[in-house]
Amino acid sequence: MTEHDFIPKPYTIAKQTGKVSWESPSNIALVKYWGKKKDQIPENPSISFTLNNCKTITTLSYSPKENVADFSFEVYLDGIKKDDFKPKIQTFFERVEDYLPFLRQFHFKIETQNTFPHSSGIASSASGMSALALCLMSIEKSIQPQMTVEFFNQKASFLARLGSGSACRSIEGDLIVWGKTDSIQGSNDLFGVKYPYAVHENFKNYQDTILLVDKGEKQVSSTVGHNLMHDHPFAKNRFQQAHTNLESLKSILKSGDLDSFIELIESEALTLHAMMMTSMPYFILMKPNTLEIINKIWKFRKATGLHIGFTLDAGANVHVLYPKKESEKILEFIQNELVAYCKNEEYICDEIGFGAEKIND
């Protein structure tokens, strides 16, 4: 498929008022996307676990307007008007207008809330932009009711990507691949696809306990971080490493090899941070407590043989990943040994989820 497949044939837009709501989850990458080309195209493929509990709930109300010269919208978070969100939505609308010709025909009220704490350090762009894309797709489906579920999901993922790259991995679940790579059939740069191969029972109901080490604003934005890969001395090798790791992950997911899984995801997490530490300018995104947690995880794993591992996003928080069948002892360890390193001892228990859901009125 190409971008042109998502440009609809001319249709008649009914000038009616309406409202639609979706909830869409966050996701956590196992093989990391870091570095992008023009139009939110990834430099390397990635694969993520879709989460279940950390999600954004968005209601989009729309009403016809006479002046179609400009986009018209207002944004609310937890019932409070957020004009500082408007530039990002404006940019998003400009990027997707060719694919959603009705955008200038309506005034939109975007009401959004997160199930995770505000300013928790958990990226809300993936869940937020995917929820908004799904709401907009519901409007288009009301205009084109013959649209298939498959095309709906593909276009929603395509649109979400133009708002925030990783958002394209939040439409479905439980494992989503984004970025063209020879080892994954159907993979492409335009939208996320469900992982198409066998997955061992060991990886079903996988748990993710998110340790909130730092709840402040990001030290460096994702956009800046991705752009630092353009002239990065290790970029070429990193992009190839992602392809190689995705190939390796196929056999790991099929066999249920938890030790190799942990080794791969931890290496990916540390590589992401190594890229930031060796860019120009350079950044250290981990905090002292991040390193304390990592070392305690390694020590506990060696002492017990339990399959506890970690991954990181582009920040200080730690995603502790482990199989459901070992959750009792591992969660006890987290609560007794790791929570003390979290800001205000805050953490979130999550697990693999299966994508976004429409909320019926």
Side-chain angles (χ1 to χ4, degrees):
M1 296 182 75
T2 70
E3 292 94 336
H4 296 290
D5 292 307
F6 295 114
I7 298 175
K9 294 176 181 177
Y11 49 60
T12 302
I13 299 169
K15 294 296 189 82
Q16 60 190 29
T17 60
K19 184 169 72 171
V20 61
S21 299
W22 277 85
E23 60 179 34
S24 189
S26 189
N27 65 76
I28 181 66
L30 306 173
V31 173
K32 307 293 184 180
Y33 142 65
W34 201 244
K36 61 185 176 183
K37 306 171 190 174
K38 185 183 176 186
D39 298 327
Q40 302 284 91
I41 297 296
E43 287 277 12
N44 67 265
S46 59
I47 185 169
S48 61
F49 273 151
T50 307
L51 297 181
N52 186 62
N53 302 329
C54 290
K55 54 193 173 187
T56 297
I57 301 162
T58 295
T59 296
L60 183 67
S61 304
Y62 54 97
S63 54
K65 62 185 179 73
E66 295 300 322
N67 179 9
V68 296
D70 298 305
F71 301 119
S72 177
F73 60 91
E74 50 192 318
V75 189
Y76 294 82
L77 175 65
D78 297 328
I80 300 170
K81 197 170 187 181
K82 299 292 271 188
D83 287 340
D84 53 327
F85 285 8
K86 293 189 76 171
K88 183 164 188 174
I89 303 297
Q90 176 74 22
T91 299
F92 174 61
F93 278 8
E94 290 169 359
R95 287 175 178 171
V96 303
E97 183 181 13
D98 287 346
Y99 311 104
L100 298 172
F102 60 81
L103 283 179
R104 292 181 189 264
Q105 307 291 324
F106 295 96
H107 173 75
F108 297 101
K109 182 180 181 182
I110 305 165
E111 299 172 277
T112 189
Q113 61 185 37
N114 299 319
T115 60
F116 45 90
H118 183 54
S119 299
S120 64
I122 297 174
S124 59
S125 58
S127 54
M129 296 309 297
S130 56
L132 178 56
L134 286 158
C135 288
L136 292 168
M137 280 305 299
S138 287
I139 297 174
E140 184 164 81
K141 185 167 174 58
S142 71
I143 300 168
Q144 295 187 307
Q146 75 280 9
M147 187 186 298
T148 66
V149 172
E150 181 182 23
F151 182 81
F152 180 99
N153 287 337
Q154 287 175 348
K155 186 168 178 178
S157 178
F158 170 83
L159 296 173
R161 187 198 93 236
L162 293 172
S164 173
S166 60
C168 77
R169 299 192 309 244
S170 283
I171 305 299
E172 298 182 273
D174 49 356
L175 280 163
I176 300 295
V177 177
W178 172 40
K180 176 65 179 172
T181 184
D182 292 341
S183 61
I184 308 292
Q185 184 178 358
S187 61
N188 68 89
D189 292 338
L190 298 182
F191 53 86
V193 299
K194 289 177 66 111
Y195 179 74
Y197 305 116
V199 177
H200 193 277
E201 194 67 27
N202 282 349
F203 299 108
K204 305 295 184 182
N205 301 316
Y206 224 73
Q207 304 294 294
D208 179 4
T209 298
I210 307 162
L211 304 180
L212 305 180
V213 173
D214 182 19
K215 294 176 62 179
E217 189 173 334
K218 281 186 177 181
Q219 181 183 347
V220 57
S221 73
S222 294
T223 298
V224 171
H226 285 292
N227 288 339
L228 289 172
M229 292 298 285
H230 289 318
D231 300 311
H232 199 292
F234 307 133
K236 185 177 179 181
N237 286 345
R238 164 56 202 155
F239 299 148
Q240 182 54 52
Q241 180 193 44
H243 287 273
T244 301
N245 281 347
L246 254 175
E247 175 67 48
S248 300
L249 193 59
K250 279 177 64 177
S251 60
I252 291 170
L253 291 173
K254 183 178 180 179
S255 68
D257 184 345
L258 290 169
D259 292 327
S260 295
F261 177 76
I262 290 167
E263 186 178 79
L264 189 150
I265 63 166
E266 290 187 347
S267 171
E268 274 284 321
L270 295 174
T271 298
L272 167 65
H273 284 255
M275 291 300 101
M276 292 301 291
M277 285 190 275
T278 51
S279 63
M280 187 61 70
Y282 40 80
F283 297 91
I284 298 176
L285 302 183
M286 290 185 276
K287 301 291 185 184
N289 281 1
T290 308
L291 296 173
E292 290 284 356
I293 289 167
I294 289 171
N295 280 302
K296 280 189 170 289
I297 287 172
W298 286 342
K299 184 177 179 181
F300 177 76
R301 186 167 73 217
K302 185 176 182 180
T304 64
L306 293 173
H307 297 98
I308 178 174
F310 71 86
T311 190
L312 308 165
D313 56 17
N317 296 333
V318 182
H319 289 251
V320 186
L321 301 177
Y322 50 98
K324 175 77 170 178
K325 63 184 179 183
E326 298 179 10
S327 60
E328 186 176 345
K329 289 182 179 178
I330 290 175
L331 193 54
E332 183 180 340
F333 161 69
I334 290 170
Q335 291 167 337
N336 291 341
E337 300 287 339
L338 303 185
V339 168
Y341 295 100
C342 298
K343 192 155 190 179
N344 301 322
E345 298 194 345
E346 287 189 66
Y347 65 101
I348 298 171
C349 289
D350 212 331
E351 60 187 352
I352 284 185
F354 296 92
E357 291 186 2
K358 189 176 182 183
I359 302 171
N360 296 317
D361 295 334

